[in-house]
């Protein structure tokens, strides 16, 4: 048995369910875009790491990572730091 739109959204009216459905579709599209951007960032980060290692440097630049953490914290608050840490972890050591 399939669920009705109001059951799927938790809304109590068809109008609210329509708004929620449309907003969820937009969120799904944004999530796809965010995932693509993170994958692109991972690729760019790999180029940086390869260049740094080839020149005799370390794979990770902690000063730069602190800058990234501060940027996310300043823009998004404390949860931004956790988000940035996860992103940095995804971008490290892929080479």
């Amino acid at each position: 048995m399939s669920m009705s739109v109001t059951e799927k959204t938790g809304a109590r009216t068809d109008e609210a369910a329509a708004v929620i459905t449309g907003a969820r579709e937009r969120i799904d599209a944004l999530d796809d875009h965010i995932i693509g951007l993170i994958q692109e960032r991972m690729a760019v980060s790999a180029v940086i790491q390869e260049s740094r290692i080839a020149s005799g440097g370390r794979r990770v630049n902690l000063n730069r990572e602190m800058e990234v953490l501060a940027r996310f914290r300043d823009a998004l608050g404390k949860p931004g730091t956790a988000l940035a840490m996860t992103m940095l972890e995804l971008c490290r050591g892929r080479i």
Side-chain angles (χ1 to χ4, degrees):
M1 175 168 75
S2 90
M3 294 172 46
S4 71
V5 174
T6 53
E7 288 173 323
K8 287 181 183 179
T9 62
R12 297 197 178 213
T13 66
D14 290 339
E15 294 80 13
V19 169
I20 291 167
T21 298
R24 284 182 176 169
E25 289 171 0
R26 179 67 178 136
I27 284 174
D28 290 344
L30 289 167
D31 287 347
D32 289 342
H33 189 62
I34 291 166
I35 290 167
L37 289 171
I38 290 172
Q39 289 171 331
E40 182 178 352
R41 189 189 195 286
M42 290 167 65
V44 172
S45 182
V47 169
I48 292 168
Q49 290 174 56
E50 288 170 1
S51 295
R52 191 180 298 121
I53 290 169
S55 72
R58 298 177 47 137
R59 180 172 46 90
V60 175
N61 180 329
L62 295 179
N63 288 333
R64 173 64 179 152
E65 288 196 357
M66 295 306 292
E67 291 173 7
V68 172
L69 292 171
R71 174 191 272 167
F72 274 71
R73 182 193 63 240
D74 292 348
L76 303 172
K78 186 177 178 182
T81 303
L83 178 62
M85 284 296 297
T86 299
M87 183 185 63
L88 290 169
E89 183 179 344
L90 285 168
C91 293
R92 283 189 208 119
R94 298 288 178 172
I95 58 171

